[in-house]
Amino acid sequence: MATLTFHPAVLTAALHAGSAAARLAATTTDPDGGGVAIASQPDGSLTITSGTPASFSRAYADPADDTDPDEAPLPPLVMGLHSVAGFRRHLAQCDPTDRIELRADPVGVSLIKNGWLNLTSASNRAGALTPWTYTDQPALALNAEIPAHLTELHRSLAAALDGHGHPDPEDTLEVYVEAEAPHGLSWHLGDWALGHTDPR
């Protein structure tokens, strides 16, 4: 079983921002909005992503300082929105100094507090849910002025992403219109989360 360690606020914020596209895409027929993918990186950090062909969100969770980057990588891991919300609720009750282990295998994923307390667990739904995989695109021309037809989308995006609780004071939400995609909005939170939202 792969195990990676994080501080609660960092993991909570990344789960929130990384699942933004899934929350916005969720419907009664697809309540998970395709699901939320979680992948480990060589330095022990996590990439949390969700999306549809028109929208995506991606966030990074830096590991706790003494995390061993040589720990085995996570298996392919996808969670449903209900499970992500449950993880966030449990993490919100943790003390900022707590150490949270994310343990995962092909069957499930668990959060362990301070090495012994099992906070919560969820099924690994990699076999049933398939979030859209976003591929980095060339830099696009950005316009900071939000046109009137996107005002309501801007408001809902801000409501979905504000209050994320990340400890970095530089992580204010910035929203732009892409010249090449005038029907949607691109956004980023500091250097740890970004996305594109297109309501079509």
Side-chain angles (χ1 to χ4, degrees):
M1 176 175 281
T3 302
L4 298 172
T5 306
F6 303 89
H7 294 295
V10 171
L11 188 53
T12 301
L15 285 168
H16 180 67
S19 64
R23 292 195 309 273
L24 292 171
T27 64
T28 53
T29 56
D30 181 11
D32 290 305
V36 180
I38 301 176
S40 55
Q41 304 302 309
D43 64 353
S45 65
L46 291 180
T47 303
I48 300 172
T49 57
S50 63
T52 68
S55 302
F56 78 96
S57 56
R58 177 172 61 198
Y60 301 94
D62 289 330
D65 293 340
D66 60 349
T67 294
D68 182 2
D70 294 327
E71 179 66 47
L74 297 179
L77 177 60
V78 180
M79 292 177 61
L81 280 177
H82 179 75
S83 296
V84 170
F87 274 35
R88 290 181 56 233
R89 281 193 304 274
H90 282 87
L91 288 166
Q93 297 173 14
C94 293
D95 187 273
T97 60
D98 286 335
R99 297 176 55 78
I100 304 299
E101 293 177 7
L102 186 145
R103 298 180 183 175
D105 60 29
V107 175
V109 56
S110 301
L111 294 182
I112 309 297
K113 184 169 84 170
N114 297 330
W116 65 274
L117 179 62
N118 188 350
L119 288 179
T120 187
S121 299
S123 297
N124 180 358
R125 299 181 63 192
L129 298 175
T130 54
W132 181 62
T133 302
Y134 174 73
T135 303
D136 286 324
Q137 302 295 321
L140 300 173
L142 300 177
N143 182 352
E145 185 175 342
I146 307 298
H149 72 281
L150 292 175
T151 301
E152 186 56 38
L153 178 61
H154 184 201
R155 190 176 295 121
S156 65
L157 188 61
L161 291 168
D162 280 347
H164 45 79
H166 198 277
D168 184 349
E170 303 296 321
D171 65 349
T172 55
L173 177 66
E174 296 187 38
V175 181
Y176 305 93
V177 179
E178 294 179 2
E180 292 82 354
H183 300 288
L185 295 174
S186 289
W187 56 270
H188 67 84
L189 286 163
D191 62 356
W192 62 274
L194 57 92
H196 178 79
T197 301
D198 190 328
R200 294 176 303 161

